[in-house]
């Protein structure tokens, strides 16, 4: 005896498949954009050798042209998500989170010399009306080591 799958069952399978594929595609695009923002911030901080006024102005202009979601974030929550080994070297955020990213300065000793680096946290925020920004995933990146000319005590 031949049995067939009904039209509604087939339609439900197709709709479910389409929703899953679009969810993966949108998550990949959001991750790509957040990673791109993180790379822009990292490159700018390395270019100006620190998170100073020049770097802040260039980051702001680049993020405006990119269309980054500047929703205010809580940098204390991102600081708590840093690993315990790095947390002892890193200070609290240099930003207040109103720009949509957080920058932490970290110090380390390498080959008996003092260096510092910046840890950048951007957010991968999924902005769907039904979910209402419930998915907020931090993406961390680090700059290269920058030599500390002023503080050779590494404190």
């Amino acid at each position: 005896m031949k049995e067939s799958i009904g039209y509604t069952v087939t339609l439900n399978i197709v709709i479910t498949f389409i929703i899953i594929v679009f969810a993966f595609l949108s998550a990949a695009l959001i991750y790509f954009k957040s990673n791109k923002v993180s790379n822009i911030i990292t490159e700018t901080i390395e270019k100006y050798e620190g998170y100073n006024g020049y770097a802040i102005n260039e980051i702001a202009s680049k993020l405006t042209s990119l269309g980054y979601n500047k929703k205010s974030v809580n940098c204390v929550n991102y600081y708590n998500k840093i690993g315990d080994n790095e947390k002892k070297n890193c200070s609290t955020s240099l930003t207040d989170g109103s720009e949509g990213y957080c920058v932490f300065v970290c110090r380390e000793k390498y080959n008996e010399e003092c260096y510092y680096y910046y840890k950048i946290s951007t957010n991968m925020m999924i902005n769907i009306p039904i979910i209402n920004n419930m998915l907020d995933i931090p993406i961390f990146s680090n700059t290269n080591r920058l030599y500390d000319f002023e503080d050779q005590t590494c404190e």
Side-chain angles (χ1 to χ4, degrees), residues 52-124:
N52 50 31
Y54 299 116
I56 292 169
N57 290 337
E58 186 170 327
I59 290 169
S61 67
K62 285 184 178 181
L63 293 187
T64 302
S65 66
L66 187 64
Y68 181 62
N69 185 8
K70 291 189 177 183
K71 181 181 180 276
S72 182
V73 294
N74 189 352
C75 291
V76 176
N77 289 343
Y78 289 152
Y79 181 74
N80 292 333
K81 292 180 182 180
I82 297 175
D84 290 334
N85 292 337
E86 288 187 346
K87 195 182 287 188
K88 64 182 178 185
N89 296 334
C90 296
S91 66
T92 56
S93 180
L94 298 176
T95 61
D96 60 355
S98 63
E99 299 89 4
Y101 62 90
C102 301
V103 177
F104 307 98
V105 63
C106 306
R107 300 196 176 280
E108 71 176 348
K109 194 166 196 168
Y110 182 75
N111 289 340
E112 299 302 320
E113 294 182 343
C114 296
Y115 293 92
Y116 63 97
Y117 65 94
Y118 291 91
K119 189 162 201 62
I120 295 102
S121 171
T122 57
N123 55 340
M124 182 177 148

Side-chain angles (χ1 to χ4, degrees), residues 12-50:
N12 287 338
I13 291 171
V14 169
I15 289 172
T16 304
F17 178 74
I18 289 173
I19 289 172
I20 290 171
V21 167
F22 278 114
F24 280 123
L25 284 176
S26 64
L29 289 174
I30 291 169
Y31 178 77
F32 174 74
K33 189 173 186 178
S34 300
N35 199 13
K36 187 174 184 178
V37 166
S38 182
N39 288 338
I40 286 172
I41 295 170
T42 302
E43 290 171 1
T44 305
I45 289 174
E46 288 175 352
K47 177 181 175 182
Y48 291 107
E49 295 184 2

